[in-house]
Every structure is written in structure tokens, then in C-alpha cells.
Amino acid sequence: MRLFGPAEIDAALSFPGLIDTLAEAFRGNAVVPPRAHHRIERPGEEAILLVMPAWSAPDAERPYIGTKIVSVFFGNGARNLPGVMGAYLLMDGRTGEPLAVMDGNRLTLWRTAAASALASRYLANPTASKMLMVGAGGLAPFLIKAHRAVRPLTDIAIWARRPEAAEVVAAQLVSEGIEARAVTDLEGEARTADIISCATNATQPLIHGHWLKRDAHLDLVGAFTMQMREADANALERARVVVDSEKAIDEGGDVAIGIEEGSYAAERVAGTLTDLCNGLIPGHAEDGEITMFKSVGMSLEDLVAAMAVWENRVSV
């Protein structure tokens, strides 16, 4: 059994390839059981354990079984540790033989960004050139690179509550040959952005619907509990909303919160990423329509990324 750390995962994946593979998977019939969600009681804090299984379709030429195990410890910030950590176990789908254990956090960064870019490929204006990245955490450079793989972005702005964090991400991207700039005027940048991607821990809306220009695409990634929110009710009201899965309707922030508080109705959700990939709902409209993609993460995405790492594995 082989161990894959961040460097090995990075060497095996590219966004154009992963996005295409993910699109094929959403058009297929892999098995995705409900994920198990367990609350862990610890003195003075709350923790969660997630178990996210998936496996290839019965008729797959090269079948796999995979499970991601994720821990969420909300008090880890005080320990100078990531709040979310995990590992991925990939097995042979014919025999059940364990093949690899992969760094769950790195795999999640890749698959989360690829899913957002896949939605953007359908929903964002094909000529979108200006992107606003809201948040400067670990996901920010991945989301920027993923969206660049599907849209001709030439102006990339990064905003964070701590301006110095945005400056670090911008400098990192510039060192890799990607033009990016740190900004402090969130509203001003949001009003002119073609694509706005949010990956934050915000508990109050950062993006307001009346800021969004015609034809804008809003990508909401960060709010994963019912206490978190990145966009307000007006943003939901103005946009055609697509979710990665039905789970986004009853868990996570933004859409689920709007439904719970009565400012939005579940019936208004246009469909899922599976619907988009199978042509069951329309993609980009040319009438100035605002679109929104809300993701909470799917075990299918993890399986696809892990399979790609295994099949493209190289020595680093």
C-alpha cells in the first residue's frame, strides 16, 4: 500500500484533466452512499467525524472503492492546527485490496476547486475575464487556478479580512507566473467581477446581492455549517442557483440557511451539478442572468481525484 502526501498528489493532478474527469464521473453511475456524520463530545469544545464512501459503477473497466475520513475540531485554531484534517483510503474495486492512503486535506483542495470550476464552465460567461477571490486560505490559490482552467481570466483580485494574507497569496501566484493583486475594497471589486469565488469561515454575509452585476457568477465554497454564511438573501433572490448535491439544500450555509429562515424556497434551486453535466438544466444564459453555485462537497469528487492520483502516480 502506497502513501501519497501533498507533493505526490500535486505531481499527479492538473486542473484541466481533473475537471474533465469529474465531468465524466457526474455523467456516470458511480455509487455514492450517504455520508456518515458523527458528533464527538470533547470537554469544552465540539468536534465532528465525517465518513464519506463511494465506489465505481459495477460495469467500470477499472473499478475502485474509496472512503475519506475527516475530522473537524472547531477548537484547533487555538492549538495552531487546521480545523479540518483527514485521510483517504483507496481500494481495488475488484478485490477490496487497499491500494493507497492519501493526504485528505490536499485531495480535498484539488477536488473542491475542480468542482467549482466545472460548475463555472457551464454557468459563467464564456468571456469572463475578471475574478474576485474572497478569502486567502489554503483553497484560494487552488480555486483561482481551477477557474483559470475554464475561463480566460486576466484580472484576478484577492480580498481577505487580513490584507496581509491576501498579499501573501497574490505574491505566491505572481511567483508562479499568474498575475494577481491583493485588494481592500470588497464592494468595489465585487461590483465589477465576472466571477466571485468565496472560501471563508464567515458567519455573516460578505457578498450582497445588490452588488452583483449582470452576468456575474457567484461560487460559494466556504460555509459548511448552519452557522456560516458568505452571501445574503438578496444574492439568492437574484441568482439562478445550482448546488453540487441535494445536501446543499439541507446542510451547510447560504442556501440551507435561506430555506430555514424562509427567505428562499428549496423548489427554486435549478438543479445539481449532475443535472448540469447531463444537460438536464441549462448552463449560461445570454440575457444577463446571475448564476450561483453552492457546494458542500461530495464523496464522488474525492473518489475521482483519488483515482486520478493513483492512475497518474509519479515518483517525486
Side-chain angles (χ1 to χ4, degrees):
M1 184 167 62
R2 183 168 169 181
L3 178 65
F4 289 81
E8 289 83 4
I9 292 172
D10 290 351
L13 297 178
S14 72
F15 278 117
L18 183 57
I19 293 165
D20 286 344
T21 304
L22 198 57
E24 293 175 11
F26 275 107
R27 289 191 289 267
N29 56 350
V31 180
V32 185
R35 65 188 182 191
H37 185 128
H38 304 282
R39 292 196 174 276
I40 303 171
E41 292 188 6
R42 288 290 181 266
E45 69 174 296
E46 181 184 2
I48 296 172
L49 182 70
L50 297 175
V51 182
M52 303 174 64
W55 52 85
S56 304
D59 58 351
E61 182 178 350
R62 289 175 294 180
Y64 295 92
I65 303 167
T67 300
K68 187 167 75 173
I69 302 175
V70 180
S71 65
V72 184
F73 277 69
F74 294 95
N76 272 3
R79 304 182 182 99
N80 199 31
L81 290 171
V84 181
M85 292 186 278
Y88 197 88
L89 174 63
L90 183 69
M91 295 174 280
D92 188 302
R94 293 178 296 268
T95 66
E97 176 190 0
L99 299 174
V101 173
M102 302 181 186
D103 183 289
N105 286 34
R106 200 65 166 192
L107 204 69
T108 300
L109 292 174
W110 275 94
R111 64 82 151 151
T112 302
S116 282
L118 177 58
S120 183
R121 189 164 76 178
Y122 284 99
L123 296 172
N125 189 327
T127 64
S129 61
K130 181 171 183 179
M131 176 179 178
L132 170 62
M133 181 70 236
V134 181
L139 255 174
F142 285 83
L143 284 163
I144 289 168
K145 292 173 185 178
H147 282 286
R148 286 182 78 245
V150 297
R151 288 295 179 264
L153 301 178
T154 56
D155 184 359
I156 298 169
I158 305 166
W159 179 93
R161 290 189 186 277
R162 294 186 303 109
E164 61 271 23
E167 291 168 2
V168 168
V169 175
Q172 173 192 334
L173 292 169
V174 169
S175 72
E176 298 176 25
I178 300 172
E179 289 298 322
R181 56 193 174 90
V183 299
T184 57
D185 181 6
L186 177 59
E187 179 179 348
E189 296 292 339
R191 285 183 177 276
T192 59
D194 299 311
I195 297 173
I196 303 173
S197 184
C198 299
T200 72
N201 292 323
T203 56
Q204 298 296 324
L206 293 170
I207 300 298
H208 299 272
H210 68 273
W211 294 354
L212 302 176
K213 72 182 186 70
R214 286 169 51 86
D215 229 21
H217 174 63
L218 183 57
D219 173 39
L220 301 178
V221 179
F224 58 88
T225 74
M226 292 296 285
Q227 290 72 47
M228 303 169 73
R229 196 169 194 175
E230 295 183 307
D232 68 0
N234 186 244
L236 286 169
E237 177 66 28
R238 295 190 65 199
R240 179 162 61 91
V241 178
V242 175
V243 296
D244 62 347
S245 70
E246 298 293 338
K247 279 293 183 183
I249 295 174
D250 54 33
E251 69 177 52
D254 299 307
V255 176
I257 289 176
I259 294 169
E260 182 180 68
E261 70 183 14
S263 62
Y264 189 75
E267 296 76 22
R268 293 187 59 189
V269 173
T272 65
L273 195 47
T274 297
D275 296 328
L276 269 180
C277 292
N278 285 280
L280 301 178
I281 58 175
H284 174 71
E286 297 183 355
D287 59 357
E289 177 185 61
I290 295 169
T291 55
M292 176 189 295
F293 176 65
K294 172 60 187 171
S295 66
V296 295
M298 295 180 63
S299 54
L300 173 62
E301 299 161 3
D302 295 305
L303 177 65
V304 169
M307 288 166 51
V309 170
W310 178 253
E311 294 182 357
N312 299 327
R313 60 191 181 277
V314 294
S315 297
V316 296

